Amino acid sequence: MDLSRRKRFVQNGSSPISAVRPHLEGRTEGSSAHTLEMAKADHRFGQRDGSDQNFDYMFKLLIIGNSSVGKTSFLFRYADDSFSNSFVSTVGIDFKVKTVYRNDKRVKLQIWDTAGQERYRTITTAYYRGAMGFILMYDITNEESFNAVQDWATQIKTYSWDNAQVILVGNKCDMADERVIPVEKGKHLADQLGFEYYEASAKENINVRQVFERLVDIICVKMSERVDTDPSVVSGAKTTRLSDKPTQLPQNCC
Amino acid sequence: MSDTMFGSGNHQWVCPNDRQLALRAKLHTGWSVHTFQTEKQRKTQVLNKRELDIILSVIHRAEQLDLIEQHRIGRLMERLENMRRSAVGNGLSQCLLCGEALGLLGTPSVLCFDCCKKVCTKCGIETACNQKRAQWLCKICSEQREVWKRSGAWFYKALPKYIHPEKDSFMDRRPVIEREEQPVARSVPITYTWAHRKVDSSESDSSDSELSDASSDRKTFVSASIKRRHSALSESSGSVPLTPLQSILSSPSRASFLSESHSSLGSERSSLAPAPEDEDTDQGRTSLSAPVLRRAGSQRSSSSSSSSAPATASSATETGREKNDNDDDLDRAFSAASASASASALPPPSRKEEEPDMEGYDSDDSTTLGTLDFSLLYDQENNALHCTINKAKGLKPMDHNGLSDPYVKLHLLPGASKANKLRTKTLRNTLNPVWSETLTYYGITDEDMVRKTLRISVCDEDKFRHNEFIGETRIPLKKLKPNQTKNFYNCLEKQLPIDKTDDKSLEERGRIMISLKYSSQKCGLVVGIIRCAHLAAMDANGFSDPYVKTYLKPDENKKSKHKTAVKKKTLNPEFNEEFFYEIKYTELSKKTLEVTVWDYDIGKSNDFIGGVSLGINANGERLKHWFDCLKNKDKKIERWHTLTNELPGSGFND
């Protein structure tokens, strides 16, 4: 069998050397694709001004919640408008980028999708710090995922910046027959936690865009509040740079 | 108690609740359950190589984005600094910005809300704040606020890390960045951010001229400020906010899964930098993945020989850069360099098609398997089914380098003979392959069109291992209308269980008769491969050249493989071979016997006909057989088993 394999090799006319090229090629390819992308973006908006990279603000969002509540599907629905019934557990973290036009501004969203499984918690919590907004998701057909919301909220409090905005989303609202968490219960919990609340379905594309847009709006409002009403933040902290000492991070975590 | 602390059962995977956290805080044990983990628990949580690769590729992607973002913020800052620098007035008797005399006789003035300096009305901006009364800001402070918003500093309460535009021109030569900040951009009119809506056109004009002043000013200060910048850079790199990756790394206990890779990640971080470092990265990667194949290692080490190519690439880029600051020339140099680096591996047209795809970059994703773009046409007159495989997008990376060598395989189901298998060529090192190949089935009848399903699977070709399955999609042919091309753009799915879509295929692979005996005398398992029947025909001649392989898994030493002889041109081979596995009886119950039947082919990859796994995790007849063998020592038990199409376990990839 080994012999035949080797032969096939020769047949294909590929030398073993080509097997090592991936790295180099992959890199150049990616980067050139990227530059091209930017050139294109510039071109499209008729701006050669590199500082305006086709967007005004960049928001980082994070989707969290128990495993299999539909975080990835939610993101895919929003970013790609696609949906697949098959379940692929997210490995660690992942993100997608989408630019939306809200309130006369182009907002580039970097949306992080996290693995719900505990084994990746070390990695996922590391990304809480950067997130300006959270989508905390549970599955309306899965009580356990709902019961965990409180814990997730605690995680947000523990690891995120204190002014991060959160929206609670009950996903899979298309599955009315299997619903175990009534709307009121979700709403109530959201009120308690001080989050906004939506029920959504990635599958049926219900409220997906709305959730993201609402979150963007909330963050925009916070941003103007922060900058326009409290200019001391801007001028006073002019010279502050973030320090790289993770003082605010819990030291003992895993 | 431990249950209270760490949760139990399912709750183990749920984050701790308030009470648990409070308890832990009291006990000074830290916030995380991980600090208390036993070694065993820890092991189960260590990420395997594949997971690491996936995560690293995501992190890498994020870093690229971060870098671009840092440059963007750098440009914002530079612009702000330029404004400050070009301010000529004192802000009291003169306009802070333009220096025009203010006061009763001069121009009317306003007081900037932020810096409390006076500016003329031209250099001030009236903002409609949420407070009722209007607020004036000088353009600098307005810009400052804008920068604060745009950089995200409003949220983080400090400016995030940024890279000053000039710095990287000698500090880091990143091809990605080099282009986007060509000086060309500066000679073009720039609209200030605050010029968006509030300011009328005449004002924005003036701001443009102001800016070009500023940029001509800049030339003089550039050299003066270079030194300062240099030190600023080292300072800034010392005081940057942590990227999540760094913070993972910075706390040693956190990094348990990454600890081995610490150094390699260091090079990974700088991996946007030119090629020579790639080698380090490679080695680092290899070392971080302990169970990496030897072969893969050697494959990689041979890469050092080819690393001269990228080196020339980067130097080419540099010379291109030195000689002309012109975008286009640089483009050419760059693409030439990258072309020489990639050589003939990828056909240029396909690259062309890939690159302009913006969304493709943004939404490429490692959690999905990818999408496939293809079209089907049933030519009724000629009884032909034309399958045009256009391209795939965002394929799941299968190789160590985060890429794949994808090809597409077509099968008509039910039935698994080689005669109905078609495949495209393999494209190397891409996740967005463009095949543009048409594969045609001839002799397709109308009945076939009703009955059959086309299975299109995308696989990753591996030289040293079995080709890996990436994803598939299935099209029942009855969906097609005769003589009408139908286009598809389908998400790939995981391997679908065959029996759901076509029950017949199970039987169509054939059956195998296996005997099992645990010999207490010889202290081992005797596996007998007796015969097969009704095997699927894999060769065009309507037969197969079958042989049988057995493995006893888990297989630490990789010594459990046994093979029968090849029986030529038969679908009902008789093997009558016995293999002996020396193993303790107590160990045996933990093992799984994998038996696979293959069609031997000269000059091509051997074809998998079918397989069967016997063991504690099997079910039905297979489990019973295993059980009976365990129960009845020293008794030979013969059973027939139906071959299934699944390659058992991952063993074949090892």
Side-chain angles (χ1 to χ4, degrees), chain A residues 175-217:
Chain A
M175 295 167 76
D177 297 343
E178 290 164 59
R179 177 191 284 274
V180 291
I181 307 296
V183 183
E184 301 73 41
K185 222 174 148 184
K187 182 101 189 62
H188 183 68
L189 180 63
D191 286 345
Q192 271 185 343
L193 294 167
F195 302 158
E196 294 214 11
Y197 175 70
Y198 280 87
E199 282 209 348
S201 163
K203 187 178 182 182
E204 299 296 327
N205 200 3
I206 303 168
N207 269 347
V208 176
R209 191 173 45 82
Q210 286 83 343
V211 166
F212 281 100
E213 288 181 353
R214 181 67 195 140
L215 191 51
V216 169
D217 288 350

Side-chain angles (χ1 to χ4, degrees), chain B residues 77-136:
Chain B
M77 288 306 290
E78 189 203 26
R79 191 192 326 192
L80 181 63
E81 280 166 24
N82 286 343
M83 283 177 78
R84 290 225 177 88
R85 222 168 274 120
S86 53
V88 291
N90 58 16
L92 292 168
S93 58
Q94 302 164 329
C95 166
L96 178 68
L97 277 90
C98 61
E100 210 166 336
L102 302 172
L104 287 170
L105 297 171
T107 338
S109 72
V110 289
L111 196 68
C112 171
F113 186 85
D114 281 2
C115 63
C116 298
K117 298 261 169 67
K118 277 185 183 168
V119 289
C120 68
T121 44
K122 265 189 193 164
C123 297
I125 292 167
E126 193 174 3
T127 59
C129 213
N130 46 356
Q131 287 138 350
K132 291 272 156 60
R133 64 196 171 81
Q135 214 179 63
W136 283 88

